[in-house]
Amino acid sequence: MTFDNARGPSTPGGPPRTQPDVSATPSVVQSLRTHSSTSVPFSVEFNPPRDAANEARLWRAVRQFERMHPAFVSMTYGAGGSTRDRTVRVTGELAQQTTLLPVAHLTAVEHSLSELRSLVGSYADSGIRNILVLRGDPPGDPLGEWQQHPEGVAYAEELVRIVRDLGDFHVGVASFPQGHHRSPDLDSDTAYLAAKLRAGAEYSITQMFFDVEHYLRLRDRIAEFDPIEGAKPIIPELMPITSLRTVARAEELCGRALPATVLERLNNAAGDDPDANHAAVREVGIEIATEMAQRLIDEGAPCLHFITLNFAKATTEVLTNLGYGVTAAPISA
């Protein structure tokens, strides 16, 4: 099964389905190149809503970010049952009901090849042709043992090739500033990233990090390992910390402990009563994210990608600190 020009197949025995015209839909790399000549583009990551209330909150954040003209937005992938269906539906609605450029996440976890192809077809039917390919983490325990589906794939490199073979899709992959926790060493991790890029990925988005030096070393490693693939955009991912509770979540998501200097600043703000000093902790978290973002801009990062957890306030505060605003508008290609 293929999806020529990112259009889904016709219903057997029936008339051809009317599909969205995606011929003019830019790729992520094209959007980065044309989005702005005066500032580094930014992008944001959303999560699939779990219920109606969460979906309403998501759409409030979507509309607020839409006024700030991000280069693209991504929707993480919720595997299994209603969560998967809601993920596909909401991502399609981002493409059809907003001016945003959506990127759909796709993971190999617990999926057969036929299911993966079907999911790509569902995205294609919604007019989506930008897909971020990930091997994915085991459900329920991101650091647990990874198990391949008996009819699925073992590596993201394979999934990149599958998506590219299905039609007119643009593919991104993940990269890891401190190395993936399952990689034996940084050299191996660099080779894995190069393999994904060689398979047809056009860019990578990093795992969240809290030390800009890790991002810069990643950029140096891949450029030295493969100058051609290393020239592709490496987009740094940031998450403003707004409470000490989010510290544990951040460490779970990135599989690494936060730097001691970051924890010290947050703990000093919290003092003896983190609940009473919530505002102080949040203020420091915004300061840290702003400082990191400015350093990344100064070091030539191609884009700033923010984890939002479906809230707009913290990320917009960081962007405001950096001089971004709702009056910013993309330059037409």
Side-chain angles (χ1 to χ4, degrees), residues 29 96 109 135 160 220 223 270 282 301-303 307:
V29 173
Q96 297 165 355
V109 174
R135 189 169 81 155
V160 171
D220 291 344
R282 187 182 186 283
C303 181
I307 296 176

Coordinates of all heavy atoms in Angstrom, one line a residue, residues 29 96 109 135 160 220 223 270 282 301-303 307:
V29 N 11.7 21.7 7.2 CA 12.9 22.4 6.8 C 12.6 23.6 6.0 O 13.2 24.7 6.2 CB 13.9 21.4 6.1 CG1 15.1 22.2 5.5 CG2 14.3 20.3 7.0
Q96 N -6.4 20.9 9.4 CA -7.6 21.4 8.7 C -8.3 22.6 9.2 O -9.0 23.3 8.5 CB -8.7 20.2 8.7 CG -8.1 19.0 7.9 CD -9.0 17.7 8.2 OE1 -9.9 17.8 9.1 NE2 -8.7 16.6 7.6
V109 N 6.3 1.4 18.8 CA 5.9 0.7 20.0 C 4.5 0.0 19.8 O 3.5 0.6 19.5 CB 5.8 1.6 21.3 CG1 5.3 0.8 22.5 CG2 7.2 2.1 21.6
R135 N 11.3 5.5 17.6 CA 11.1 4.1 18.0 C 10.1 4.0 19.2 O 9.2 3.1 19.2 CB 12.4 3.4 18.4 CG 12.2 1.9 18.6 CD 13.5 1.2 18.8 NE 14.1 1.3 20.1 CZ 14.9 0.4 20.7 NH1 15.3 -0.7 19.9 NH2 15.3 0.5 21.9
V160 N 11.8 5.1 9.3 CA 12.0 6.3 8.4 C 11.8 5.8 7.0 O 11.2 6.4 6.1 CB 13.4 6.8 8.6 CG1 13.7 7.9 7.5 CG2 13.5 7.5 10.0
D220 N 28.5 19.1 17.3 CA 29.9 18.8 16.8 C 30.1 17.4 16.5 O 30.8 17.1 15.5 CB 30.8 19.2 18.0 CG 30.9 20.7 18.2 OD1 30.4 21.5 17.3 OD2 31.4 21.1 19.3
A223 N 28.5 16.4 13.1 CA 29.1 17.1 12.0 C 30.5 16.5 11.7 O 30.9 16.4 10.5 CB 29.3 18.6 12.3
A270 N 12.8 27.6 46.2 CA 11.7 26.9 46.9 C 11.9 27.1 48.4 O 10.9 27.2 49.2 CB 11.7 25.4 46.6
R282 N 8.7 29.1 40.0 CA 8.3 29.3 38.6 C 9.1 30.4 38.0 O 9.5 30.2 36.8 CB 6.8 29.6 38.6 CG 6.2 29.7 37.2 CD 4.8 30.1 37.2 NE 4.2 30.0 35.9 CZ 4.4 30.9 35.0 NH1 5.1 32.0 35.2 NH2 3.8 30.8 33.8
A301 N 21.3 28.0 16.8 CA 20.3 26.9 16.7 C 19.3 27.3 15.6 O 18.9 28.5 15.5 CB 19.6 26.7 18.0
P302 N 18.8 26.3 14.8 CA 17.9 26.6 13.7 C 16.5 26.9 14.1 O 15.7 27.5 13.4 CB 18.0 25.4 12.8 CG 18.3 24.3 13.8 CD 19.2 24.9 14.8
C303 N 16.1 26.6 15.4 CA 14.8 26.7 15.9 C 14.8 26.4 17.3 O 15.7 25.8 17.8 CB 13.9 25.7 15.1 SG 12.1 25.8 15.6
I307 N 8.4 22.1 24.8 CA 7.4 21.2 25.3 C 6.4 22.1 26.1 O 6.8 22.8 27.1 CB 8.0 20.2 26.3 CG1 9.0 19.3 25.5 CG2 7.0 19.4 27.0 CD1 9.7 18.3 26.3

